[in-house]
Amino acid sequence: MSATISVAVLQAAFGEDIQANIATIDRLARDAAAAGAQVILPPELFQGPYFCKTQEEEHFALAWPADEHPCVLTLAPLARELGVVIPVSIFEKDGPNYYNSVVMLDADGGVLGTYRKSHIPDGPGYQEKFYFRPGDTGFKVWNTAFGRIGVGICWDQWFPEAARVMTLQGAELLLYPTAIGSEPQDESLETSARWRRAMQGHAVSNVIPVAAANRVGDEDGQLFYGTSFICDHTGEVMVELDREETDFRLWSFDRVEVERDRAAWGFFRDRRTDLYSDYFKPA
C-alpha cells in the first residue's frame, strides 16, 4: 500500500435525468483519476435534484435497493476500470424502509459495504425525516485499496462524535458527501463558513484529513453553494472549489506523517473516557 493517499472531491449541479447525472460523475471521475486521484468523492444524492426540501410521497419511487441502484451498477465498473475508490451516495430502499446511504466501492469495483446516514435533519428546506429512517449501520470505516476511510453523510458532518468514532475505528481519511445551500426560511442566513469550520475542527481534533463534496446550482429557489474542499490534518484548507464550478479538486497526503503527528499531539492518549461516559447514555 502506498505511503500517500490522493483524494479528489467532485462538484456539479444535477437535474431530473439520472443517466445524465451519472454521466457527469463519470466524466469528472475520469478527469480526477487521470490527474492521479485514488479516492474520488461525489456529492450527496447526485442521482437527481435534492428532493427533500418538501414532503412529496411521489419521491419514494426514486429509491432502489443498494445492489440494484443505477448509480452503483454504473459506477462499480468505472471504479474497476480506473482503479479508484468511490463512495456512492444513494436513496436506498430496503423492504419497507428507506435510507440515505453510501455504498463503498473499492478499486476493483467490489462493494465493501453500505453506510446509512445516522443523523437525519428536519427543518425548512431539509425535510429528510419524512423520507429517511435513521441509519442502523453504525459509523463505518473501510479497508480500501488505498487506506482506511470513514464516510459520513451531510448532516453527520456537524457532529464531532461521528468524526471521533470513525477515527477511533482507525480511519486515515474522513469523507463527507453533501447537499447544502441556502436556508429558505431566512435569506440572510449564510451557513457555508460555519459548515466548513465544523469539519476543519474535526480535522484538528482528530488529526485527520477531511474532504467534503457539495453540489451547486439553483433548484427551484434553493441555491446550493458548492465550496467543496479538502483540508489537511491541521484543518488547513488545501484545495477548494468556488460556489458555481463544475469540476474536481485533488490533494495528496502522507499517511505516515499524519499517523506520526496524531500520536505526537496526544489527543487519543489523553482522552478521559472515565469522565465522559455518564454523558453518552440515552436520555
Side-chain angles (χ1 to χ4, degrees):
M1 187 178 294
S2 172
T4 62
I5 301 178
S6 296
V7 56
V9 291
L10 311 183
Q11 180 172 288
F14 305 103
E16 298 286 351
D17 187 337
I18 186 172
Q19 293 304 323
N21 296 330
I22 294 172
T24 296
I25 296 300
D26 181 291
R27 174 175 58 82
L28 292 173
R30 289 181 184 277
D31 291 346
Q38 299 167 314
V39 179
I40 299 175
L41 178 64
E44 181 186 20
L45 296 173
F46 64 84
Q47 67 184 67
Y50 180 76
F51 57 86
C52 307
K53 56 181 171 286
T54 57
Q55 299 183 14
E56 308 291 343
E57 295 177 8
E58 64 195 52
H59 293 326
F60 287 106
L62 300 173
W64 298 72
D67 59 355
E68 300 175 13
H69 199 287
C71 292
V72 175
L73 295 179
T74 304
L75 294 183
L78 179 69
R80 181 173 62 250
E81 176 190 343
L82 301 178
V84 297
V85 171
I86 307 177
V88 182
S89 174
I90 64 168
F91 185 14
E92 180 194 2
K93 174 178 171 57
D94 181 15
N97 300 320
Y98 294 80
Y99 299 96
N100 187 338
S101 302
V102 160
V103 176
M104 191 64 155
L105 301 177
D106 207 358
D108 62 357
V111 174
L112 294 178
T114 299
Y115 167 68
R116 292 169 171 166
K117 187 172 182 177
S118 299
H119 304 94
I120 309 299
D122 184 26
Y126 302 91
Q127 299 181 36
E128 294 194 12
K129 278 188 167 67
F130 180 73
Y131 299 101
F132 311 130
R133 291 175 59 89
D136 58 1
T137 60
F139 301 112
K140 305 284 284 188
V141 172
W142 288 282
N143 284 314
T144 76
F146 303 112
R148 288 183 58 80
I149 298 173
V151 183
I153 303 173
C154 202
W155 193 229
D156 288 332
Q157 67 206 170
W158 296 87
F159 292 83
E161 297 88 349
R164 176 52 55 90
V165 169
M166 287 188 284
T167 309
L168 285 169
Q169 291 179 334
E172 299 172 284
L173 169 67
L174 299 182
L175 304 178
Y176 293 102
T178 300
I180 188 171
S182 60
E183 306 291 340
Q185 82 281 9
D186 184 353
E187 292 183 358
S188 69
L189 182 57
E190 166 58 62
T191 60
S192 60
R194 71 180 79 179
W195 167 75
R196 180 177 289 193
R197 286 194 297 266
M199 286 177 283
Q200 289 175 271
H202 302 332
V204 173
S205 297
N206 294 287
V207 194
I208 192 169
V210 172
N214 195 15
R215 63 173 66 209
V216 294
D218 187 337
E219 298 184 12
D220 296 324
Q222 189 169 24
L223 186 64
F224 291 90
Y225 52 59
T227 62
S228 304
F229 72 98
I230 305 171
C231 68
D232 71 4
H233 61 290
T234 74
E236 187 77 20
V237 174
M238 306 307 292
V239 293
E240 60 187 331
L241 290 126
D242 68 19
R243 300 176 76 98
E244 298 180 353
E245 289 177 287
T246 293
D247 207 344
F248 74 92
R249 289 291 183 272
L250 173 69
W251 180 69
S252 301
F253 67 94
D254 187 313
R255 303 164 66 231
V256 176
E257 176 187 352
V258 172
E259 184 176 9
R260 182 187 65 233
D261 285 1
R262 186 180 300 122
W265 273 84
F267 294 144
F268 292 87
R269 177 196 65 209
D270 297 339
R271 292 174 67 242
R272 289 293 307 276
T273 55
D274 56 314
L275 302 180
Y276 311 151
S277 58
D278 286 347
Y279 300 93
F280 289 92
K281 295 177 180 178

